[in-house]
């Protein structure tokens, strides 16, 4: 197993992840973090680019499911409006929610990827569950705690990028 805090791929945004590229890697299920990955913590409205990406993913052969630690109804409401499955209270990095998602779709971990903005929850959880971890740049680190978390993640991002180039 790779070092559990290293993502296998780093993207500026979810919109960089195409169904074709995911399928080429053998990914049949893309699990998504919600807050700061699809939309900022401060809104439930996706950007026009994110709306187009969500529509493209829904018409593709790659399944999409939100796997969020959030306990708020906003995740379920958003997913219902967009016709996306979701699992809340996922308790990432612990595998309960991630495993529940993979079992729901009947897929092996290597057929699944988890894209999210946090190394210590999303990347670690994906690696521990055997799924492919994809780190996306946070949409908006709008408070000091998010900024501090990002600073703590920088060494792992740097090391992961170096390993990807090798």
């Amino acid at each position: 197993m790779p070092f559990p805090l290293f993502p296998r791929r780093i993207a500026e945004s979810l919109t960089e992840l195409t169904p074709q590229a995911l399928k080429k890697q053998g990914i049949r299920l893309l699990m998504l973090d919600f807050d700061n990955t699809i939309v900022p913590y401060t809104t439930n409205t996706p950007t026009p680019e994110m709306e187009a990406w969500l529509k493209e993913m829904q018409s593709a052969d790659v399944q999409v499911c939100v796997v969020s630690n959030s306990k708020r109804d906003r995740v379920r409401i958003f997913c219902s409006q967009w016709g996306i499955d979701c699992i809340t209270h996922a308790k990432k990095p612990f595998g309960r929610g991630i495993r529940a998602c993979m079992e729901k779709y009947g897929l092996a971990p290597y057929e699944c990827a988890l894209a999210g903005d946090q190394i210590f929850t999303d990347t670690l959880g994906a690696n521990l569950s055997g799924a492919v971890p994809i780190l996306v740049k946070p949409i908006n680190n709008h408070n000091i705690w998010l900024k501090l978390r990002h600073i703590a993640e920088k060494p792992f991002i740097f090391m992961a990028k170096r390993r990807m180039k090798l």
Side-chain angles (χ1 to χ4, degrees):
M1 176 168 83
F3 185 69
L5 294 176
F6 288 173
R8 262 196 243 156
R9 179 165 179 197
I10 298 174
E12 284 294 310
S13 167
L14 280 180
T15 58
E16 284 184 17
L17 307 177
T18 65
Q20 299 81 10
L22 292 167
K23 284 181 67 176
K24 189 175 180 181
Q25 295 174 356
I27 303 300
R28 297 177 54 203
L29 170 64
L30 180 61
M31 297 175 278
L32 303 171
D33 179 46
F34 183 71
D35 286 313
N36 236 6
T37 300
I38 299 174
V39 293
Y41 284 97
T42 55
T43 183
N44 292 343
T45 306
T47 64
E49 295 82 15
M50 186 61 69
E51 281 188 27
W53 182 83
L54 287 168
K55 289 175 184 173
E56 178 185 15
M57 291 303 293
Q58 287 175 319
S59 65
D61 290 338
V62 177
Q63 298 290 315
V64 175
C65 182
V66 170
V67 179
S68 174
N69 285 349
S70 180
K71 297 174 184 165
R72 297 185 178 157
D73 286 336
R74 66 188 285 265
V75 177
R76 281 190 287 279
I77 292 168
F78 178 93
C79 290
S80 175
Q81 290 171 339
W82 281 91
I84 301 170
D85 284 338
C86 73
I87 293 175
T88 58
H89 305 81
K91 300 187 185 219
K92 296 175 290 182
F94 305 106
R96 183 183 70 96
I98 298 168
R99 281 191 309 274
C101 186
M102 291 187 288
E103 289 169 11
K104 179 177 182 173
Y105 286 88
L107 296 171
Y110 63 85
E111 298 175 292
C112 306
L114 191 154
D117 68 303
Q118 295 187 47
I119 284 181
F120 301 119
T121 56
D122 304 313
T123 298
L124 179 58
N127 273 320
L128 293 176
S129 300
V132 175
I134 302 171
L135 182 67
V136 296
K137 183 178 176 184
I139 294 172
N140 181 11
N141 285 330
H142 69 281
N143 66 39
I144 189 68
W145 303 113
L146 294 174
K147 290 175 184 167
L148 290 172
R149 186 208 74 223
H150 184 67
I151 290 169
E153 292 176 340
K154 278 193 179 277
F156 300 105
I157 294 169
F158 174 77
M159 289 185 284
K161 283 181 178 177
R162 287 193 65 200
R163 287 179 62 131
M164 288 177 204
K165 290 180 183 177
L166 299 177

